[in-house]
Amino acid sequence: MGNDPEKERMSADIVRPTPEPSLLPTVNPVLEKIEPPAPKIHPAVYIISWITLSSTTILFNKWILDTAKFHYPIFLTTWHLTFATIMTQILSRTTTLLDGRKTVKMTGRLFLRAIVPIAAFYSLSLISGNLTYLYLSVAFIQMLKATTPVAVVLAGWAMGAEKVDVKILLNVSIIVIGVVIASFGEIKFVLIGFIFQLGGICFEAVRLVLVQRLLSSAEYKMDPLVSLYYFAPVCAMMNFCFALIFEIPKMSLTEVYSVGLWILLLNAVIAFALNISVVFLIGRTSSLVLTLCGVLKDILLVAASIVIWGTPISGLQYFGYSIALCGLVYYKLGGGVLKAQLGEMNRTWAEYGVRHPVFRKLFVFSSAMILLCLGAGYIVSRLGYDSLPSIMAENEKTA
């Protein structure tokens, strides 16, 4: 029985109603709730934390090794690295801070050819740096550390990691000139301490070049905490070998107890917390902020050394260190960035003067008075307070 074509045409012309959308939920409403954004911490918190922890670590080490008479810098470094090894292992199993290690394709060959050499130079750098605290002031040590970028540039050229650039050489020469002037002005200069510090700077420069080579490949990118996860155990073993030869045979439990076990534990905790703060600081600030934070930290350490230990600083050292710091900032940031930042600062200062002219004048006057008082205090300290009456009396006689 054949189909009727008329029926087929009529059925095709009938418009069928479209089904209404379902009113039932297709997704769990609980899952669609918008989570409130996590509270953001201001970058100033990370900056202050890093400066505080970095300065505290250096001053704490100086106090233990020099003031507390615990003259075992290699042992102290070994203790720091042992504590760091334990803590990184714990953090890797209990937090996400070390999840970056999962992206690193670590093999036995890479460990021996890259991690071990870097750890060796890191170990030598830490040992030399801590030995320096036995001979030099914190202020002078920080002045010498300003030459680290110079050493890195020279090490990179020597190892073929970078091409020789005369312009860079001229830029870093400003830092060298400033540090040389500051060294000539050092009142309590100790040659062996100076040699230890230069050795530590050279070892650190080679380590940084080796790290740069390792991190040049995207598959080996590591943040400072992941790097510590790999380097700390090797460094701890190397330092322990040095301590076993040079320091442990001369140590006694009485000397350890005289410093205090809780003091040593607190020292290691602060040193490890510094490594954690570096991770957050790098991730949430710019290179400009990092550079200026480093300069500010060095200046604060020089001031702290003067206040805590009464370190004498000559005018020649102030002059030389100022040159070195200016050269350091110019080398790390470049003329273009500095020019742009200075222009922005001038605009901000001008706008502030328009909005608050009285406060601007008050700030200028106060700054001038502070500088005048500091200059007068420096002159008095150089001449001696007792000599002022005699100088005034001589002036009255001549008048």
Side-chain angles (χ1 to χ4, degrees), residues 364-378:
V364 173
F365 177 75
S366 302
S367 301
M369 291 301 297
I370 291 172
L371 290 175
L372 184 62
C373 293
L374 289 175
Y378 174 74

Side-chain angles (χ1 to χ4, degrees), residues 175-226:
I175 303 174
V176 176
I177 292 171
V179 172
V180 168
I181 294 173
S183 299
F184 276 111
E186 172 63 16
I187 298 172
K188 296 182 179 180
F189 183 87
V190 180
L191 181 60
I192 185 64
F194 181 78
I195 293 173
F196 275 133
Q197 184 57 49
L198 288 186
I201 291 171
C202 292
F203 291 136
E204 178 67 6
V206 175
R207 182 189 76 87
L208 291 174
V209 174
L210 292 175
V211 169
Q212 183 182 358
R213 280 184 174 179
L214 176 65
L215 301 184
S216 60
S217 177
E219 58 185 349
Y220 300 132
K221 293 292 183 183
M222 307 181 203
D223 61 50
L225 199 57
V226 174

Side-chain angles (χ1 to χ4, degrees), residues 47 50-51 286-299 329 332-333 338 341 345:
I47 294 171
W50 177 76
I51 292 177
S286 62
S287 59
L288 171 65
V289 174
L290 286 173
T291 300
L292 296 180
C293 285
V295 172
L296 176 61
K297 182 206 71 174
D298 291 341
I299 293 173
V329 173
K332 287 193 172 184
L333 299 181
L338 283 177
Q341 291 297 324
M345 289 172 62

Side-chain angles (χ1 to χ4, degrees), residues 160-172:
E162 300 286 346
K163 292 183 179 180
V164 178
D165 191 331
V166 178
K167 186 177 180 181
I168 293 178
L169 182 61
L170 292 175
N171 288 342
V172 297

Side-chain angles (χ1 to χ4, degrees), residues 317-348:
Q317 278 186 291
Y318 282 119
F319 177 67
Y321 192 44
S322 299
I323 294 175
L325 289 180
C326 291
L328 180 65
V329 173
Y330 183 81
Y331 165 70
K332 287 193 172 184
L333 299 181
V337 175
L338 283 177
K339 187 176 180 180
Q341 291 297 324
L342 288 175
E344 182 64 27
M345 289 172 62
N346 286 332
R347 284 192 296 272
T348 304

Side-chain angles (χ1 to χ4, degrees), residues 127-396:
I127 291 173
S128 300
N130 273 356
L131 282 169
T132 308
Y133 289 122
L134 299 177
Y135 305 98
L136 301 179
S137 66
V138 171
F140 188 42
I141 290 172
Q142 294 307 121
M143 294 179 188
L144 293 177
K145 282 183 178 180
T147 59
T148 301
V150 182
V152 173
V153 170
L154 296 178
W157 292 347
M159 298 169 66
E162 300 286 346
K163 292 183 179 180
V164 178
D165 191 331
V166 178
K167 186 177 180 181
I168 293 178
L169 182 61
L170 292 175
N171 288 342
V172 297
S173 64
I174 300 174
I175 303 174
V176 176
I177 292 171
V179 172
V180 168
I181 294 173
S183 299
F184 276 111
E186 172 63 16
I187 298 172
K188 296 182 179 180
F189 183 87
V190 180
L191 181 60
I192 185 64
F194 181 78
I195 293 173
F196 275 133
Q197 184 57 49
L198 288 186
I201 291 171
C202 292
F203 291 136
E204 178 67 6
V206 175
R207 182 189 76 87
L208 291 174
V209 174
L210 292 175
V211 169
Q212 183 182 358
R213 280 184 174 179
L214 176 65
L215 301 184
S216 60
S217 177
E219 58 185 349
Y220 300 132
K221 293 292 183 183
M222 307 181 203
D223 61 50
L225 199 57
V226 174
S227 300
L228 190 68
Y229 174 84
Y230 288 110
F231 296 136
V234 183
C235 289
M237 290 299 298
M238 292 180 177
N239 281 22
F240 177 74
C241 293
F242 281 110
L244 197 60
I245 298 172
F246 296 106
E247 291 185 351
I248 292 179
K250 300 183 292 183
M251 286 179 61
S252 65
L253 287 177
T254 304
E255 292 175 300
V256 176
Y257 291 141
S258 66
V259 176
L261 296 178
W262 289 108
I263 294 294
L264 293 174
L265 178 61
L266 178 62
N267 182 238
V269 169
I270 293 175
F272 182 72
L274 173 61
N275 290 284
I276 297 178
S277 69
V278 170
V279 177
F280 291 102
L281 182 70
I282 292 175
R284 290 164 176 80
T285 55
S286 62
S287 59
L288 171 65
V289 174
L290 286 173
T291 300
L292 296 180
C293 285
V295 172
L296 176 61
K297 182 206 71 174
D298 291 341
I299 293 173
L300 291 176
L301 280 171
V302 172
S305 177
I306 296 172
V307 172
I308 297 173
W309 289 283
T311 305
I313 304 293
S314 67
L316 192 61
Q317 278 186 291
Y318 282 119
F319 177 67
Y321 192 44
S322 299
I323 294 175
L325 289 180
C326 291
L328 180 65
V329 173
Y330 183 81
Y331 165 70
K332 287 193 172 184
L333 299 181
V337 175
L338 283 177
K339 187 176 180 180
Q341 291 297 324
L342 288 175
E344 182 64 27
M345 289 172 62
N346 286 332
R347 284 192 296 272
T348 304
W349 179 245
E351 292 174 0
Y352 181 81
V354 172
R355 294 194 303 267
H356 310 284
V358 177
F359 286 108
R360 177 177 172 174
K361 291 178 181 179
L362 183 62
F363 177 80
V364 173
F365 177 75
S366 302
S367 301
M369 291 301 297
I370 291 172
L371 290 175
L372 184 62
C373 293
L374 289 175
Y378 174 74
I379 293 173
V380 170
S381 65
R382 295 294 294 174
L383 294 177
Y385 180 79
D386 296 336
S387 64
L388 287 180
S390 60
I391 294 174
M392 294 175 63
E394 290 180 3
N395 289 337
E396 291 176 358

